[in-house]
Amino acid sequence: MDGEQEDAAVGGIAADRLRSIIERVERLEEERKALAGDIKDIFTEAKSAGFDVKVIRQIIRQRKQEPSEVEEQETLLDIYRRALGM
């Protein structure tokens, strides 16, 4: 084998393909880190505008759910509150 073939398939592993996969994951992790920072900045902005960040997070969670799931959770919450006399 010449040097190029050895680089391309070391121990039966396609080194170029492996390197490409690893680099793609690393790039996405960097993007995710940057996005997390952007999201944190938005929550800071919301807080400084007088919004309750915990409530905003709860709304975001609920918007990801099916409407029937949200309704079921709200019904149970109401039942539990009444059971506790709240």
Side-chain angles (χ1 to χ4, degrees):
M1 264 190 198
D2 64 33
E4 185 177 317
Q5 285 179 326
E6 285 178 21
D7 286 345
V10 177
I13 296 174
D16 289 341
R17 179 79 191 272
L18 177 60
R19 184 177 297 106
S20 170
I21 290 169
I22 290 170
E23 288 171 354
R24 285 169 36 210
V25 170
E26 288 172 341
R27 269 193 310 276
L28 289 172
E29 286 176 343
E30 283 299 314
E31 288 177 27
R32 179 171 48 189
K33 185 177 176 183
L35 288 172
D38 292 345
I39 291 169
K40 182 180 177 189
D41 292 345
I42 293 169
F43 281 122
T44 300
E45 175 186 340
K47 185 176 182 177
S48 69
F51 294 106
D52 187 321
V53 173
K54 286 168 60 172
V55 174
I56 292 173
R57 289 182 189 276
Q58 185 175 357
I59 290 171
I60 292 169
R61 263 194 316 276
Q62 285 182 347
R63 288 171 54 117
K64 291 177 185 177
Q65 297 175 324
E66 292 295 321
S68 60
E69 288 179 65
V70 174
E71 186 178 336
E72 181 181 340
Q73 287 177 358
E74 288 176 350
T75 300
L76 283 172
L77 186 59
D78 185 49
I79 291 169
Y80 291 176
R81 283 180 177 152
R82 282 189 280 145
L84 296 171
M86 296 175 70

